[in-house]
Amino acid sequence: NAETNDLWQVLEEVSKKPVGKIMADWTKKSGYPLVSIIKSEKSFRIRQSRFFSSPISRRNSRDKTLWSVPIVWQGNRKKVKRALFSKFQSSTFLGSQGRTLKYSGEKLNFGETGLFRVDYPESVLKMFNNSVVAKNFSTPDRLGLIRDSFALAESGQSSTTLALDLLSSYREENEYVVWLEVAGGLGRLSQIFADETWFPKLKEFKRQIFSPLAQKLGWHQKKGEAFTVAMLRDMAIYQAGANGDKEIIGEAEKLFEKYIKEGKAPDKEIRSAVYLLAAKRGKEKRFSQFIKLYKGAHLADEKNRLGEALGLFDDKKLLQKALDFSLSKDVRPQDVFSIFRSVARNPKGRLLAWQFVK
């Protein structure tokens, strides 16, 4: 017998914040905002608009939603400040105590607690580099900064070069969730540019990013390390090897061949990386070995690892076999998509996957 407004009213009473004003458009309108910092010769302006991942959607949209954006940032002496930005554009915005606050280069979504993206000018992003390197920014803040940068590049609102330049600050990063975002952003770039003549340069860039991380983490789990470190190790080994690290490729090949000959599976923490790297360089014989392993696997997670590996071969004939195998009696209906997705992500298998769907 209660209505939504009753909930907002109670939350307002408890928090002493204008919850109703904030939530009106967030819950009744589509999308979420992009907050852009516009630098001119003498000042900064702050502007909001709806974020679109597609530049076509952005050009065609007439969406004029005005959100009340709860902006949080860290000021001098690490004091957390808050303001509600409820205009389309302003050179200043009002703080919670009625003071006029000017933007001076702070990260505007402190703690990444707000559902909005932020577009910073190049000069401000460069100011952030030292904070990322020194880890003065928290893990969520480091994650949000690179995530927004890649998203804005993808939407055409920021230069891809800015996102790649920002990555230089993340070389000493140690958190799995941040590296996962880095790998995802670079992976989307690879999908787009896989057929370009300069694609090897992008692979070299990725190798320079991931090989030092893989070498630092090593191949074996260390006593007392967090479970996320094991996940990071698996990802780093694969990314380094997939982008041409010969030492890592050689070790993965050796571990896979040992499994085939002696029946000793690679450690579970690095098994996905070993399978994927072995498949990328495999031929018909190895494809048959993966099919045999898949049929003999009893655990769902093992089938998932092996199924994903089937989509990483370079030979289009083998990729077609993988698609056909996905519809066989040996693959559970709920597992068909994981094999298909792996083939579809492979630049060599894109067209095959599309034809398969049709």
Side-chain angles (χ1 to χ4, degrees):
N1 63 353
E3 296 180 349
T4 302
N5 288 335
D6 297 321
L7 174 61
W8 301 154
Q9 183 179 342
V10 172
L11 292 176
E12 281 190 3
E13 292 171 1
V14 173
S15 66
K16 304 295 189 292
K17 304 290 183 184
V19 176
K21 180 181 178 182
I22 294 173
M23 296 302 292
D25 287 318
W26 289 91
T27 57
K28 295 178 181 178
K29 299 291 182 66
S30 300
Y32 60 93
L34 165 69
V35 174
S36 301
I37 310 301
I38 314 297
K39 184 181 179 183
S40 60
E41 289 184 8
K42 296 182 179 180
S43 64
F44 286 92
R45 287 177 291 122
I46 184 170
R47 184 178 68 197
Q48 69 161 283
S49 58
R50 180 177 170 184
F51 176 77
F52 288 96
S53 59
S54 164
I56 297 173
S57 297
R58 187 176 69 254
R59 285 197 302 268
N60 295 339
S61 173
R62 297 180 180 178
D63 192 304
K64 297 298 181 183
T65 301
L66 179 63
W67 287 272
S68 292
V69 185
I71 293 178
V72 183
W73 72 100
Q74 195 173 45
N76 295 332
R77 300 178 183 177
K78 295 190 175 181
K79 183 178 180 180
V80 176
K81 299 183 178 182
R82 294 174 173 83
L84 203 57
F85 180 48
S86 303
K87 298 180 179 179
F88 281 117
Q89 183 167 287
S90 178
S91 57
T92 61
F93 54 96
L94 293 178
S96 58
Q97 304 302 317
R99 300 185 305 274
T100 297
L101 302 167
K102 291 187 177 181
Y103 176 72
S104 55
E106 297 88 357
K107 185 178 180 297
L108 290 191
N109 193 2
F110 181 71
E112 289 295 306
T113 54
L115 181 61
F116 60 95
R117 297 196 185 278
V118 186
D119 182 12
Y120 300 98
E122 183 176 0
S123 59
V124 175
L125 281 178
K126 287 182 177 179
M127 290 168 57
F128 289 156
N129 284 342
N130 290 337
S131 294
V132 173
V133 172
K135 296 185 176 59
N136 293 330
F137 284 159
S138 67
T139 299
D141 284 322
R142 299 196 305 274
L143 167 64
L145 199 60
I146 194 65
R147 180 190 59 202
D148 284 357
S149 193
F150 271 123
L152 288 162
E154 191 173 346
S155 72
Q157 291 169 272
S158 177
S159 168
T160 303
T161 305
L162 278 182
L164 296 178
D165 285 344
L166 185 60
L167 277 183
S168 64
S169 308
Y170 285 80
R171 293 181 185 274
E172 298 301 319
E173 180 58 55
N174 52 17
E175 292 291 344
Y176 170 71
V177 291
V178 180
W179 276 113
L180 189 63
E181 192 64 41
V182 171
L186 291 173
R188 291 192 295 277
L189 272 181
S190 296
Q191 288 288 330
I192 295 168
F193 297 118
D195 297 326
E196 299 291 335
T197 55
W198 53 265
F199 181 64
K201 292 183 179 180
L202 180 58
K203 291 188 68 172
E204 171 63 23
F205 179 80
K206 292 170 70 175
R207 184 163 68 248
Q208 291 173 359
I209 292 288
F210 285 102
S211 285
L213 177 65
Q215 290 168 8
K216 181 173 73 173
L217 294 172
W219 286 82
H220 303 290
Q221 190 172 11
K222 298 175 179 61
K223 186 177 180 180
E225 70 180 16
F227 76 95
T228 51
V229 176
M231 297 164 69
L232 179 56
R233 178 181 293 109
D234 189 62
M235 183 182 70
I237 288 173
Y238 169 69
Q239 290 290 341
N243 289 289
D245 188 312
K246 293 180 180 179
E247 183 178 336
I248 284 178
I249 292 170
E251 182 64 19
E253 292 267 357
K254 186 169 69 175
L255 289 171
F256 185 77
E257 288 300 325
K258 185 175 182 179
Y259 181 26
I260 296 300
K261 292 177 181 178
E262 303 176 11
K264 180 175 173 55
D267 292 343
K268 202 168 185 179
E269 290 76 18
I270 59 167
R271 199 175 298 173
S272 288
V274 171
Y275 286 171
L276 297 176
L277 292 175
K280 281 185 76 68
R281 297 173 61 84
K283 304 298 181 185
E284 181 102 31
K285 179 180 178 182
R286 184 161 291 173
F287 183 84
S288 299
Q289 290 169 340
F290 270 104
I291 293 291
K292 184 177 179 181
L293 289 172
Y294 189 97
K295 290 179 178 179
H298 299 293
L299 298 177
D301 62 340
E302 182 70 356
K303 282 186 177 292
N304 288 338
R305 282 189 284 263
L306 293 163
E308 185 178 359
L310 291 175
L312 265 73
F313 286 82
D314 276 345
D315 190 328
K316 291 184 178 181
K317 292 181 180 178
L318 297 180
L319 293 176
Q320 185 61 56
K321 283 187 175 182
L323 290 170
D324 295 337
F325 176 71
S326 73
L327 295 183
S328 71
K329 62 180 177 59
D330 296 298
V331 179
R332 300 180 304 171
Q334 62 264 42
D335 294 336
V336 172
F337 176 70
S338 62
I339 297 176
F340 164 79
R341 179 180 58 186
S342 183
V343 175
R345 285 177 172 175
N346 185 338
K348 300 287 181 65
R350 274 185 202 154
L351 188 57
L352 292 174
W354 174 236
Q355 291 169 341
F356 181 76
V357 168
K358 291 197 293 182

